Amino acid sequence: MTTLAMDYQMGFMGLDSVFTPSAYVRTWNRSLGVPLSPSSASISASIDRVLTFVVSQNAVIEDQLAVEDFLANKSGVVAHLYSVPEKIAYYIGKSKMKLGVFSEPDGYEAPELYLEVETSLSPEEANQRLSTLNREWILTSNDEDLIALNVTLKFA
């Protein structure tokens, strides 16, 4: 990991010619004072608010920096995360949830956002309800951002 330290660099607005994951750029931007903070602060605030909301709805965030980075690059998913707890409760029942990012260590595919839903339903019933959730909400939305959310089941 590389640390960028700058003393008294007023007006410095970006990391030019440096490849930096957006989660770290956003963390760095938060440390700037309001007059220097770039407009991406609104994206950071939206991501922070939705993650706080999801946690308040009985969810755990696994590797928060990875989730923040994913959401910064696919910001359309942020709005959908507000309705996820309600949809899960409706289709599967009130459940513990875990939000995280999965990436294949040896693969070249883009990371995927997943929501793991813990359930005590039988596997047949839970899979049927998950299929209904997919058919009636995720797939019918025709929204690429919502389709980026993978809902998985964990049987308790």
Side-chain angles (χ1 to χ4, degrees):
M1 177 176 213
T2 302
T3 303
L4 175 64
M6 297 171 43
D7 292 333
Y8 310 110
Q9 294 294 319
M10 303 307 267
F12 186 79
M13 297 303 288
L15 297 174
D16 294 334
S17 302
V18 177
F19 176 74
T20 307
S22 61
Y24 295 107
V25 172
R26 289 181 317 98
T27 301
W28 179 72
N29 287 341
R30 285 186 204 140
S31 68
L32 296 174
V34 175
L36 299 177
S37 184
S39 61
S40 66
S42 62
I43 294 171
S44 293
S46 296
I47 292 169
D48 292 341
R49 279 193 300 273
V50 77
L51 292 180
T52 300
F53 171 76
V54 169
V55 168
S56 76
Q57 300 297 306
N58 205 22
V60 173
I61 309 296
E62 184 174 272
D63 192 357
Q64 186 157 337
L65 275 179
V67 171
E68 288 177 3
D69 190 37
F70 181 91
L71 293 175
N73 291 310
K74 290 207 178 267
S75 59
V77 178
V78 172
H80 294 295
L81 289 178
Y82 284 106
S83 55
V84 165
E86 178 185 341
K87 296 292 186 181
I88 295 299
Y90 178 78
Y91 286 100
I92 299 174
K94 195 82 169 154
S95 304
K96 291 181 181 177
M97 298 173 284
K98 183 187 333 179
L99 185 66
V101 175
F102 172 79
S103 59
E104 189 68 39
D106 296 332
Y108 297 101
E109 297 177 17
E112 298 178 14
L113 185 69
Y114 70 86
L115 179 73
E116 181 181 270
V117 180
E118 187 176 301
T119 181
S120 59
L121 297 171
S122 70
E124 295 82 16
E125 179 70 18
N127 282 318
Q128 180 182 11
R129 291 183 184 202
L130 180 60
S131 293
T132 304
L133 177 136
N134 282 325
R135 278 192 320 273
E136 293 180 1
W137 181 47
I138 295 177
L139 298 175
T140 60
S141 73
N142 291 324
D143 187 337
E144 288 183 30
D145 293 323
L146 182 57
I147 293 172
L149 177 64
N150 297 298
V151 180
T152 63
L153 298 172
K154 178 180 179 182
F155 296 98

